[in-house]
Amino acid sequence: MQEYHVLVIGAGLAGMRAALEAHKQGARVALMSKVHPVRSHSNAAQGGINAALTDRGDRWEDHAYDTVKGSDWLGDQDAIEVMCKEAGQELISLEHMGVIFNRDEQGRLGTRAFGGQRRARTFFVADITGQAILHVMYEQILKSGIALFEEWFCTDLVVENGRCVGCVAMEIRTGRVAFIPARTVILATGGLGRVFEPSTNALICTGDGMALAYRAGVPLMDMEMVQYHPTTLKGSGVLITEGARGEGAYLLNKDGERFMARYAPTMMELASRDVVSRAEMTEIAEGRGVDGCVLLDCRHLGEKKIRERLSQIYEIGLDFAGVDITKEPIPIRPGMHYQMGGIKTDIWGRCWDPQGKWQGVEGLFAAGECACVSVHGGNRLGANSLLDTVVFGRRAGATAAQWAQDKPLPTLNDAHWVQKTETRIRTLLARENNGDTVARIRWEMGTTMDQFLGVFREQEGMEQALRTLRQLRQRYNKVSVRDKGRTFNTALIFALELDYMLECAEAIVRSGLERKESRGAHYRRDFPKRDDANWLKHILLYWRGENDPPTITYLPVTITQWPPEKRVY
Amino acid sequence: MRITIKVRRFNPEAPKPQPYWQDYTLEVTKTSTVLDALIRIREEVDESLALRCSCRSAICGSCAMRINGHASLACKTKVSAVVDAHNTLTVEPMGNLPVIKDLVVDMTPHWHKVRAVEPWLQPVGPEPQGEYLAPNEAMLHLAGVMNCIMCGACVSDCTVLEVDSNFLGPAALAKAYRFVADPRDGMTKERLAKYNAYGGIWDCTRCYECVQVCPKGVAPMDRIMAMRERAIGMGLKDTYGARHTLAFEELVEHSGRLDELRLPLKTFGYTNIPKLVGLLPIALRALPKQKAPSPFHKPIPEVKSFQTTFRKARQAAETERQAPTSQAHHG
């Protein structure tokens, strides 16, 4: 197979943005994804994308401050500055690509309000923002002629002498395994939502890239920071956009009270997500919920506004909850939504540090939800995730293209790497059925994580979760795949994914046990206070093999101009 | 509720690969979707059942398949809404696309067609410093088309594709419309000229299947009709489709009835001997069955008032053409 300068794994917004930028810089680019690019989970971002535009009287510094506060001061402020400064330019370039943003009366880009921010700076396309951007990005990919590996599943990153030199992947349609040599690899594989059950995330969000990088020698950072979104449907975990509250919807308890007044008197329903989720769980726990939920009330917005600006939510209400949101409130509860932590990168998307403050792998890059720059710290603001993907996707693409220029690949033993994956697959397929199933192990992992690593956590529960995960790992090592074919064998894919998910789950628990304070989404009943004296720092995990606990190190949080304050909404 | 799902299966690795039906009986709840049921089967009964699915909320477009013979998203279809009196439903792979395995089809032919419409914005002139200015109505109108998640349901059930795989198909043409109707795109006429060709906008037979099966309300056929109107409006009249439409209109306006003899003559041209000769066998078959159109018609006395109505309708259509938003859901 020919040698690529840049191989991007994952074709959501971060991956496609990275690929386009690398292509623009003249690199030979390939884009690989285990699904067709337009099936990626970026689709699900409903509400919008944040940017502080100076010609609207907004300031990037204000956006940055809101983001820092949202992160509970765990976000690195140099990275946050980069993201907020480049937001406007990135937004305009999306518009130039063809994204059909909603407009104001003058025909300029229009905004809506979003949580945790003092200004309406969220740009949007109805409530299909992610989908609208994703499909336009794919249009640009088609225009570029970039090489596409659609429905290819990455099984291994190939690292030789401390440098990533490509990957091994399986073409799902045929089961064929191939080595794809590349001077640089950008991981843009998205989140790990399915590690939890339920989750708002699509079934494909299985933490593949995080596990691949972790095992290849790159640390995972801030893995304990898991966001529970305040408005998800019970059971399925299907998401109701924050845009609903941005447009003015209320949260009510069983007495019809807007309970957020007691938790966040100023920002009310639009406080940060961790704050709102905790408030809802408290209401439910103290007996003011409705059947394990609280109520999201859109009725006063009027049918016209709902149909025009929340059309998808209107449909989701009808299809998935049987509720007409123009006529009655919809029951919702917090649900796992986003992983703030991930593969440690610098602000150029590099998974290694030339200054040597942390160890990584040369030639490997990461961007989007799988990466941790970190801009979200302990809690991500709504509509900062799309921004993160395009800003750091572009930066990773540009940096990788430049770095690859004068770094030809050494001679490689392709056959060896292909063989390694082949053996793994054959072992899985050949194993005898012992009655256990991949689905059952995944379910137990997910419900365990939801029970012990959800909105509220404590030592004992997390230790219990760790013990369960160790047992599940043992069971995983004996489980069989019952479809023995090679053509579109989804059972095989699920088995490979479960391996990644178990790795990610354990990383979350290990980090959660390590951080002995409450910050952002990580709320410990046994340590209910934020502790800046001891814990204003990142937790990094280094993989040391399947049976050994990871090595844990710390990095200081970068503070530029916003020293820690009390966080009140 | 105990239900039976009949699944059309296909394993290409079988000794003699043949599609076959397999029944699965299982317990589901009132709110279960077809996708919930299929996932249950895959996880608890038969791991080898292949299907694509991801988001579970009708946004990724992976799980389109034929349910009781019509394409739709399995995640958006409630079991209770589609089972028959015996609590049974059928599930098959989408039509008009080659089957890879079970419910998984090869969508490559479809993606080739999407690529063929040059689906990227082509503005003319220098890029503005900031955003392009555009009316919100135009953007909201386009959002209705951007709602398309490329699930392929319309491609599956398109009756033209069934007989002519050259047709670009409803999804690719809806995508094309997204650029034709985008005020920022500068290639509208060039695009329409391209979509005017064989396999393009004039090959749709207006059967409405795509409008009916689309799970996102994109109404592809309406977009195709809007492009026809616009193509004619821009003077792109030199296709059989456009001439047929214009001749139809002219004949009806003139006499108050459709003159089926002159319609082909006007469509193909009085001097287009090869085409007209090609029509002879049809005419000869029609004659003995008394289906051949007569060259003589009795004049209709009320034709004058009819012509007035016609003119008014045309003026109304013209006004509508100038306001693109109002085209959202018209044929």
Side-chain angles (χ1 to χ4, degrees), chain A residues 56 103 151 319 483 487, chain B residues 13 76 78 101 131-132:
Chain A
R56 310 292 149 89
R103 310 282 161 151
E151 297 193 319
D319 292 339
D483 183 353
T487 311
Chain B
E13 293 178 41
K76 214 188 170 200
K78 287 245 169 40
K101 181 185 174 187
E131 69 268 46
Y132 287 96

Side-chain angles (χ1 to χ4, degrees), chain A residues 103-108, chain B residues 135-136:
Chain A
R103 310 282 161 151
D104 62 15
E105 282 93 41
Q106 286 90 50
R108 302 186 311 169
Chain B
N136 196 40

Side-chain angles (χ1 to χ4, degrees), chain A residues 38-57:
Chain A
V38 305
R39 312 285 178 230
S40 303
H41 190 56
S42 305
N43 263 330
Q46 296 164 346
I49 177 167
N50 289 330
L53 298 190
T54 38
D55 66 356
R56 310 292 149 89

Side-chain angles (χ1 to χ4, degrees), chain A residues 207-399:
Chain A
D208 305 2
M210 295 184 208
L212 283 165
Y214 188 37
R215 288 180 183 170
V218 181
L220 296 181
M221 186 166 96
D222 298 341
M223 288 298 280
E224 71 279 20
M225 296 302 178
V226 177
Q227 181 166 79
Y228 270 61
H229 193 288
T231 53
T232 72
L233 296 183
K234 193 182 166 185
S236 65
V238 167
L239 176 70
I240 305 290
T241 176
E242 185 163 299
R245 280 170 292 139
E247 298 292 348
Y250 300 146
L251 287 172
L252 308 175
N253 60 20
K254 80 169 181 356
D255 307 319
E257 180 204 3
R258 280 180 75 187
F259 57 84
M260 282 311 296
R262 283 185 276 115
Y263 302 89
T266 316
M267 299 288 277
M268 295 292 284
E269 282 87 354
L270 287 178
S272 269
R273 287 177 175 175
D274 57 329
V275 175
V276 181
S277 284
R278 268 195 297 281
E280 291 176 5
M281 287 306 275
T282 306
E283 289 296 301
I284 295 166
E286 292 176 0
R288 291 186 295 277
V290 181
D291 201 12
C293 293
V294 291
L295 300 171
L296 179 73
D297 191 354
C298 299
R299 289 173 297 181
H300 57 285
L301 302 179
E303 197 170 331
K304 182 174 181 288
K305 195 168 184 178
I306 290 172
R307 294 288 190 115
E308 195 174 297
R309 291 161 81 110
L310 299 168
S311 58
Q312 206 209 141
I313 291 311
Y314 173 73
E315 273 181 47
I316 285 179
L318 284 180
D319 292 339
F320 298 99
V323 171
D324 176 348
I325 61 167
T326 65
K327 296 199 170 64
E328 49 183 323
I330 185 166
I332 49 87
R333 67 195 308 277
M336 189 282 171
H337 183 57
Y338 188 85
Q339 170 59 284
M340 270 75 71
I343 305 162
K344 165 68 184 151
T345 71
D346 67 5
I347 56 171
W348 302 102
R350 292 182 293 200
C351 296
W352 74 99
D353 179 20
Q355 291 163 348
K357 287 184 203 139
W358 51 281
Q359 305 298 313
V361 172
E362 269 196 346
L364 187 64
F365 296 73
E369 188 173 345
C370 73
C372 183
V373 187
S374 86
V375 286
H376 308 306
N379 171 70
R380 174 175 68 75
L381 293 186
N384 265 357
S385 56
L386 289 185
L387 181 59
D388 173 14
T389 63
V390 289
V391 168
F392 292 102
R394 175 176 49 71
R395 290 170 79 90
T399 314

Side-chain angles (χ1 to χ4, degrees), chain A residues 39 56 95-96 98-99 103 107 109 131 139 151 173 199 201 203 236 319 482-483 486-487 494, chain B residues 13 42 47 52 54 56 60 76 78 101 106 119 130-132 134 136 146 149-150 175 178 184:
Chain A
R39 312 285 178 230
R56 310 292 149 89
E95 199 278 335
H96 288 177
V99 180
R103 310 282 161 151
L109 302 182
Q131 182 202 338
E139 293 167 6
E151 297 193 319
R173 185 184 172 152
S199 163
N201 285 197
L203 303 180
S236 65
D319 292 339
R482 290 167 201 201
D483 183 353
R486 292 303 289 265
T487 311
F494 298 150
Chain B
E13 293 178 41
R42 190 171 72 178
E47 276 189 5
R52 290 191 183 101
S54 182
R56 308 158 298 136
C60 78
K76 214 188 170 200
K78 287 245 169 40
K101 181 185 174 187
D106 179 8
E131 69 268 46
Y132 287 96
N136 196 40
M146 281 306 294
I149 52 176
M150 289 284 164
K175 185 79 167 171
R178 168 243 180 294
R184 299 167 297 177

